[in-house]
Amino acid sequence: MLQMDLPHLNVLTKIDNISNFAPLPFNLDFYTDVQDLSYLLPELAKETATAKFEGLNKAIVELVEEFGLVSFETLAVEDKKSMMHLLQVIDRAGGYAFGSAEGANDTVWQVAMREGVTTMDVKDVQERWIDLKEEYDEIERKEWEEQAKIREPQNGAGGDINADGEDDEMENWVAPSIGSGVKVVRKG
C-alpha cells in the first residue's frame, strides 16, 4: 500500500455466509477497525490448526498495529445496500464520489471526503448478518412473496408471457442490422 502509492482497500467478503461458521469471539467491528489485535492472539492459540504459528501470528499482529493504516470494509454480495456502500467507499478511495452532493466550486477531493457520504456502518452489517440474520431473512422472504403477488396479475392480464411460455415482447422484435457487431440467437 505504501510502496505502490495507489488507493488500497481491504474487503471482508462473504459476510452473508458468516453465520454458517462458529460464532466470532468478538463483534465484527473488532475485525474491521483493527485497533488492538493483541486480544486476538489467545483466540488464535486455542485453534489447533494455527497453534503452531503462534510466533508468526504475533509478528503479523505487531506489524499491522505499527502501521495503523489497516482497516477492512465488509461485503455481502446478496445485499444491495452492502454493495452500494462498498462502491461509495471505492469512489472515496479513488478520490471521487458520484452524486448530487457536488458543489460548483468544490474540488474532487472535497467532494470525496465529505462526511455522511456512506450510509452503512459495520454495526448494521453485524445486526443484519450475525445477530438477527434469521429475522432479516424472514422479512426479505415476505417482501419477495409480496412482490411476486403484485407481479402475478400483471403477467396474467396481457403481460409478458403468452400461453406457449414465450415472451410476447420479443414476438415482433427485429434483430439489429447486419454489420452492427451484435449477434442475436433466439432459442425456442
Side-chain angles (χ1 to χ4, degrees), residues 9 14-15 24 27 41 44 48 56 62 64 67 84 91 99 111 114 121 123 126 131 140 150 153 161 170 172 176:
L9 284 171
K14 302 189 184 220
I15 291 296
L24 297 173
N27 282 338
L41 290 173
L44 291 172
T48 56
L56 177 62
E62 289 173 1
V64 170
F67 272 98
M84 292 300 295
D91 287 340
V111 173
R114 277 206 178 97
D121 188 51
K123 291 176 183 121
Q126 171 89 25
D131 298 340
E140 281 183 0
I150 292 170
I161 309 296
M170 296 297 288
N172 298 324

Side-chain angles (χ1 to χ4, degrees), residues 10-181:
N10 299 307
V11 181
L12 294 174
T13 62
K14 302 189 184 220
I15 291 296
D16 46 334
N17 291 331
I18 203 165
S19 63
N20 297 337
F21 299 95
L24 297 173
F26 305 104
N27 282 338
L28 195 56
D29 61 346
F30 173 82
Y31 303 98
T32 57
D33 293 341
V34 192
Q35 290 184 1
D36 189 2
L37 293 179
S38 62
Y39 292 107
L40 191 57
L41 290 173
E43 296 297 326
L44 291 172
K46 289 179 188 176
E47 296 181 22
T48 56
T50 61
K52 62 182 176 183
F53 299 113
E54 188 174 342
L56 177 62
N57 289 337
K58 186 176 179 182
I60 291 174
V61 163
E62 289 173 1
L63 177 70
V64 170
E65 286 180 340
E66 283 178 24
F67 272 98
L69 297 173
V70 179
S71 66
F72 291 85
E73 293 296 329
T74 58
L75 175 63
V77 174
E78 295 179 3
D79 187 16
K80 182 179 180 180
K81 190 175 179 183
S82 175
M83 187 67 77
M84 292 300 295
H85 169 75
L86 185 60
L87 286 173
Q88 288 177 340
V89 171
I90 291 168
D91 287 340
R92 272 182 94 163
Y96 189 76
F98 296 99
S100 60
E102 289 186 51
N105 296 323
D106 290 347
T107 66
V108 172
W109 183 251
Q110 287 171 322
V111 173
M113 296 312 295
R114 277 206 178 97
E115 289 298 319
V117 173
T118 58
T119 58
M120 189 171 209
D121 188 51
V122 71
K123 291 176 183 121
D124 297 332
V125 176
Q126 171 89 25
E127 180 180 310
R128 167 60 181 101
W129 296 106
I130 298 174
D131 298 340
L132 301 172
K133 182 182 185 325
E134 292 80 19
E135 290 86 347
Y136 275 92
D137 286 349
E138 182 64 23
I139 291 169
E140 281 183 0
R141 188 189 58 75
K142 288 179 181 177
E143 286 175 359
W144 292 341
E145 286 176 359
E146 290 174 15
Q147 290 173 2
K149 287 178 185 176
I150 292 170
R151 286 189 199 117
E152 204 171 279
Q154 293 172 347
N155 288 341
D160 298 336
I161 309 296
N162 64 21
D164 298 331
E166 294 196 19
D167 192 350
D168 283 340
E169 289 181 9
M170 296 297 288
E171 192 169 301
N172 298 324
W173 182 74
V174 178
S177 63
I178 297 175
S180 67

